[in-house]
Amino acid sequence: MQVERGIRALRDRLDGARAAGRSIGFVPTMGAFHRGHLEIMRIARSRDEVVVVSIFVNPLQFGPSEDYQSYPRSFESDVSGARSEGVDVLFAPEPAEMYPHGAIDTRVDPGRLATVAEGAYRPGHFAGVATVCAKLFNIVQPHRVYLGQKDAQQVAVIRQMVQDLNLPLEVISCPTVREQDGLAMSSRNLSLSSSEREAAAVIPRALFAARAAAAAGERSCETVRTLARSLIEQQPLVRLQYLEIVDPVTFEALECIEGQSLATVAAYAGSTRLIDNVAVGTVPRPER
Ligand code: AMP
């Protein structure tokens, strides 16, 4: 596995593979790998001939009071994790390589999708994500991009960008990998104390309760939401920010569960903000 820090060197390396007609799969990440990341790399490895993983904690997608500085970083163990999954190239640019003048003025604006659900609580976040992904996609020029369904709205933002801007690549969404008690794996779980970690399991429990209620025939989002929210509200170490039943494409809040919907949540355990989602309603389409 090659580790590349520079855009020029990465492009030189990938030009040869592309010219030889080899398919390139790309997994963008912010590092601090867990099994969720490694599973995505495995899926990419099974489908594409060249697998490129990026590690870049993108300042553009963090708000001024968010955790950019304290975001977990574990480069050495990430290198061994990626190597063990058979990744070909690990692209790990410094911020100055991606933003040579300190910042950039150009933004990809995901429109309304960036303002609802998660977007309502993180202004500018999805524009930051879409912008860095546009840069990374232009740098790597992959045939396929692999993302995690754990960040379902991020997948929707990227799918919309790819479609609206005619980017010549396919987006693959990979299933959420969970701990034994259901907590979605996240680099931010590293920041939880042991009591917060234990308490955080209420988040997937609430989502699974929402899914079970819908599977039992409940159609009222209000009823399903109230049930799921009340579970979280009973856990004193977890503070609910939002729990909504939304359309899986537009992320607009729904009143009635008809086709496939998503139960989506953000909650704080201590000062760590965690997000998760599950499909509710009709059986979800295969994720890939
Ligand atoms: P991050 O490093 O958190 O930006 O995540 C990089 C990629 O891994 C994103 O596409 C995430 O959606 C995905 N991801 C993060 N956690 C999980 C998980 N528990 N299961 C599956 N994919 C995940």
Side-chain angles (χ1 to χ4, degrees):
M1 185 180 80
Q2 296 294 325
V3 177
E4 297 292 0
R5 295 282 189 178
I7 294 168
R8 182 74 268 156
L10 179 79
R11 281 202 163 135
D12 287 348
R13 184 166 298 286
L14 294 178
D15 277 352
R18 206 173 293 106
R22 303 179 73 200
S23 73
I24 300 176
F26 177 45
V27 183
T29 82
M30 299 204 298
F33 292 160
H34 48 66
R35 271 203 296 116
H37 293 112
L38 301 182
E39 191 53 41
I40 298 181
M41 293 174 207
R42 200 164 302 165
I43 292 167
R45 180 72 285 164
S46 72
R47 293 198 52 174
D48 280 308
E49 291 164 289
V50 178
V51 175
V52 182
V53 172
S54 66
I55 296 180
F56 182 60
V57 184
N58 171 37
L60 216 59
Q61 71 191 65
F62 288 80
S65 59
E66 294 183 352
D67 57 349
Y68 174 68
Q69 295 299 342
S70 61
Y71 192 84
R73 289 163 171 88
S74 56
F75 187 68
E76 293 311 319
S77 69
D78 288 354
V79 170
S80 21
R83 188 174 283 125
S84 72
E85 294 304 333
V87 168
D88 297 294
V89 185
L90 185 64
F91 177 51
E94 293 294 334
E97 180 71 4
M98 293 292 281
Y99 304 116
H101 308 295
I104 52 171
D105 290 329
T106 306
R107 290 283 184 283
V108 176
D109 176 4
R112 183 157 174 82
L113 186 51
T115 67
V116 292
E118 180 73 357
Y121 294 88
R122 299 191 69 186
H125 170 66
F126 286 121
V129 168
T131 304
V132 81
C133 281
K135 281 172 72 73
L136 289 167
F137 296 173
N138 280 324
I139 292 166
V140 177
Q141 297 176 39
H143 298 89
R144 271 179 282 272
V145 169
Y146 297 85
L147 303 171
Q149 189 61 21
K150 151 85 166 43
D151 298 287
Q153 196 168 354
Q154 175 168 283
V155 177
V157 163
I158 300 305
R159 280 196 197 284
Q160 175 184 268
M161 174 177 80
V162 164
Q163 193 172 10
D164 287 353
L165 302 184
N166 305 92
L167 304 188
L169 55 89
E170 185 187 354
V171 176
I172 312 283
S173 181
C174 304
T176 300
V177 178
R178 299 180 178 281
E179 303 280 2
Q180 278 221 312
D181 62 1
L183 184 66
M185 294 205 170
S186 165
S187 307
R188 290 186 169 99
N189 293 353
L190 291 169
S191 316
L192 299 172
S193 70
S194 61
S195 55
E196 289 164 357
R197 167 64 191 82
E198 209 174 303
V202 76
I203 296 170
R205 273 207 304 281
L207 292 176
F208 298 158
R211 184 173 62 191
E218 182 56 64
R219 290 288 162 263
S220 157
C221 290
E222 174 65 31
T223 306
V224 172
R225 260 193 326 252
T226 305
L227 165 82
R229 283 178 184 169
S230 71
L231 288 174
I232 296 182
E233 283 158 4
Q234 283 165 33
Q235 171 48 260
L237 292 183
V238 176
R239 184 167 55 82
L240 181 64
Q241 189 172 43
Y242 68 83
L243 187 149
E244 293 290 348
I245 315 290
V246 300
D247 178 281
V249 175
T250 65
F251 282 75
E252 301 282 355
L254 297 172
E255 293 201 344
C256 186
I257 300 172
E258 273 158 359
Q260 194 193 329
S261 312
L262 277 185
T264 181
V265 64
Y268 284 90
S271 57
T272 305
R273 187 172 181 279
L274 301 172
I275 61 168
D276 197 357
N277 69 88
V278 299
V280 298
T282 53
V283 179
R285 275 176 270 126
E287 283 175 333
R288 60 188 169 95

